[in-house]
Amino acid sequence: MQEHALPTYFLSHGGGPWPFMKTEFGHTYDALEASLRDIPRQLGSTPKAVLVVTAHWETDQFTVSASARPPMIYDYYGFPAHTYEVQYSAPGSPELAARVKTLLDGAGHATALDAERGFDHGTFSALYPVYPQADVPIVQLSLRHGLDPLTHVEAGRALAPLRKEGILIVGSGLSYHNLRAFNAQGAAASHQFDAWLRATMALPPAERTAQLLTWEKAPAARMAHPREEHLLPLMVALGAAEQEAAAMPYHEDAFFGALAVSSFRFGQAEA
């Protein structure tokens, strides 16, 4: 048990296998990559493992990846052939998976283990810049069908003890996720929603949670998130550090030329 509770993160993870497409994307992802590479400095030490709440896995009940050697899941389409051969060989942690299940079960969330689940791009694209040596164990947690915000905040609350056990909790999604308007067409909606999101993060904890639970009332909410699976990982990261201040380690006003996107950290950085 460590004295200092690790912060939690909501990371806007970018699109597809972007870290492995530097030639194709040029400088598009430079700011996001720099923010991810800075996380080890912010933490001050290497966590025992990372628990990733991924936007790319939904199940009837919360489910935890429990493979000791997770395979790869290439859950994207139309990318160059080499991106379907990417390997991110970080180990899993059946022990952490069991601990996560115990915490969630204990809070009334019936939880399953999946010994076959591999790393999806919401996990390996976000974590590769953070730990390029793939030497930190990673466990994934699914979203629960229905995508109820309170259910996911409550799951985060149940997982909060992990922060003092050396486990880094990461929600991996995108603060703007309308793939039909991932260009100038979505600029206004992304900026309106992002401004609301940033303002909400600065509120006192109880008010902040209340606002996020009713996120659909935000300006341009359904334009920014026609379906909210890329926002829900934020709820878990928030719930696990609910009383702590938020910071914004990443923000862009012209992502893909026009979009506003952000990442958030809950809790103090060490460095």
Side-chain angles (χ1 to χ4, degrees):
M1 188 75 68
Q2 59 182 56
E3 283 187 23
H4 174 71
L6 290 175
T8 71
Y9 287 82
F10 169 71
L11 301 178
S12 285
H13 64 225
W18 66 266
F20 309 95
M21 296 178 61
K22 295 295 183 66
T23 300
E24 293 86 347
F25 279 124
H27 297 290
T28 300
Y29 283 100
D30 283 1
L32 176 58
E33 183 174 26
S35 74
L36 294 172
R37 287 186 171 182
D38 192 52
I39 288 175
R41 182 196 64 80
Q42 295 171 33
L43 296 177
S45 61
T46 303
K48 293 179 182 176
V50 183
L51 176 63
V52 178
V53 185
T54 171
H56 292 274
W57 187 20
E58 296 177 43
T59 52
D60 288 337
Q61 58 184 339
F62 286 118
T63 304
V64 192
S65 65
S67 171
R69 294 289 172 188
M72 300 291 289
I73 298 176
Y74 304 112
D75 55 339
Y76 39 79
Y77 305 94
F79 285 87
H82 76 270
T83 65
Y84 298 91
E85 299 175 2
V86 167
Q87 292 295 315
Y88 187 66
S89 56
S93 174
E95 296 79 13
L96 174 57
R99 173 69 172 140
V100 171
K101 175 174 166 53
T102 295
L103 289 171
L104 291 174
D105 283 344
H109 303 284
T111 303
L113 297 176
D114 185 335
E116 306 298 326
R117 177 75 185 186
F119 295 144
D120 59 56
H121 82 264
T123 296
F124 68 77
S125 289
L127 270 294
Y128 174 77
V130 183
Y131 298 115
Q133 300 303 313
D135 52 359
V136 179
I138 297 172
V139 166
Q140 295 174 123
L141 175 64
S142 73
L143 301 177
R144 203 173 89 177
H145 282 153
L147 302 178
D148 175 61
L150 180 57
T151 297
H152 291 80
V153 170
E154 289 174 340
R157 292 169 181 162
L159 296 170
L162 295 175
R163 298 175 55 216
K164 285 196 172 182
E165 297 171 17
I167 307 303
L168 178 64
I169 299 173
V170 169
S172 179
L174 267 173
S175 62
Y176 172 83
H177 193 256
N178 184 341
L179 296 184
R180 294 188 176 186
F182 214 78
N183 47 35
Q185 184 182 346
S190 75
H191 282 260
Q192 290 171 35
F193 186 75
D194 197 79
W196 173 86
L197 196 56
R198 287 182 282 131
T200 297
M201 290 303 162
L203 295 172
E207 191 176 350
R208 179 178 66 187
T209 297
Q211 288 289 321
L212 286 173
L213 291 178
T214 57
W215 71 272
E216 288 180 271
K217 297 179 181 179
R222 280 299 178 189
M223 282 293 294
H225 292 279
R227 191 172 184 276
E228 59 265 41
E229 81 285 347
H230 274 70
L231 184 66
L232 265 291
L234 169 63
M235 307 299 175
V236 183
L238 169 87
E242 195 169 8
Q243 301 306 313
E244 301 192 42
M248 187 172 60
Y250 165 69
H251 173 74
E252 284 193 70
D253 279 323
F255 187 57
F256 275 80
L259 304 173
V261 291
S262 300
S263 295
F264 299 98
R265 183 185 70 238
F266 302 95
Q268 288 296 113
E270 278 284 294

